[in-house]
Amino acid sequence: MLPAFVGLGLAVLVPVPLLVWLYRALGVGGLVLGVVLVAAAATAGLRVHRVVVRRRGGRYTAAELVRLDDQGLAVAAARMLRRDGWKVVGLTARQGRSRLYARDARGRELDVAFRPVATADEDESATVSWPAPLREAGRPGIDGLIRVVVHRGGYSRADVLWPSRQGGVQLLNGLQLQRWADGATLDELGLPPQRG
């Protein structure tokens, strides 16, 4: 609460002396110039504030998702899960890959892993050679976890066939990720209604 009051105080106290100084230095023209500058700064500040609030609320544009690195994608997914009512805990798997554990009010548990996207220096068809990102999700055993693998790109046919044989593993591709970031819930994207 204190930072909000400090920000409000600065927003009022800084422009007033600036406007007085411009009026004394340049007259009415300086005052008009100062008001225009303050209005432009306020407009820019409001736009930035709206973007920050939207992101913290778990909503991202397609362009914002593309710019995220693997860690940023994990933060975005955690925010989207919280937006949808999940309690989220961040985990770091071997090789430093981000993972999330989440639980909702219905008792469902998620193990969320992230599959990296090929960089501009790499061929997108080389994603098959990534070190088994899907298999790291593990088999759905008696633990009742629903495993979700998030990828900003697409999945190959072999990638899709593997989880269909495992059961309990959900793949979230780039199009589904964008729908999720736009406000759709995981239930709307096909997450199983029951555990296990």
Side-chain angles (χ1 to χ4, degrees):
M1 195 73 167
L2 181 61
F5 282 122
V6 170
L8 182 61
L10 289 176
V12 172
L13 295 177
V14 169
V16 170
L18 175 68
L19 291 174
V20 169
W21 179 78
L22 284 172
Y23 178 70
R24 287 184 181 163
L26 302 173
V28 175
L31 184 60
V32 170
L33 175 66
V35 169
V36 169
L37 289 176
V38 167
T43 302
L46 283 175
R47 285 185 183 178
V48 168
H49 178 71
R50 285 183 188 146
V51 169
V52 169
V53 167
R54 183 177 44 78
R55 286 182 187 169
R56 285 186 182 162
R59 294 190 185 269
Y60 292 82
T61 65
E64 290 169 341
L65 286 176
V66 168
R67 289 191 301 257
L68 295 175
D69 61 3
D70 293 335
Q71 182 64 31
L73 184 59
V75 170
R79 287 177 177 169
M80 289 185 279
L81 284 166
R82 286 185 188 103
R83 172 198 74 202
D84 295 340
W86 294 81
K87 293 182 180 177
V88 182
V89 176
L91 306 172
T92 302
R94 56 188 161 202
Q95 291 120 8
R97 286 202 182 136
S98 298
R99 292 182 84 101
L100 301 173
Y101 168 80
R103 178 182 213 119
D104 72 352
R106 297 181 351 198
R108 294 182 298 175
E109 299 175 85
L110 296 181
D111 175 15
V112 184
F114 300 91
R115 182 174 183 182
V117 176
T119 62
D121 299 336
E122 300 168 317
D123 181 12
E124 184 64 34
S125 64
T127 56
V128 176
S129 67
W130 288 100
L134 295 179
R135 282 143 187 91
E136 286 179 6
R139 293 184 57 96
I142 57 174
D143 57 6
L145 282 173
I146 301 168
R147 274 126 176 123
V148 179
V149 180
V150 178
H151 182 46
R152 283 182 289 172
Y155 290 102
S156 70
R157 184 175 180 336
D159 291 340
V160 173
L161 287 175
W162 179 82
S164 68
R165 293 183 194 123
Q166 304 301 312
V169 177
Q170 303 290 315
L171 301 180
L172 197 70
N173 65 23
L175 295 174
Q176 292 169 313
L177 177 63
Q178 183 56 55
R179 284 187 54 214
W180 189 28
D182 285 338
T185 65
L186 286 178
D187 293 327
E188 294 169 349
L189 297 175
L191 189 70
Q194 302 296 326
R195 293 190 332 164

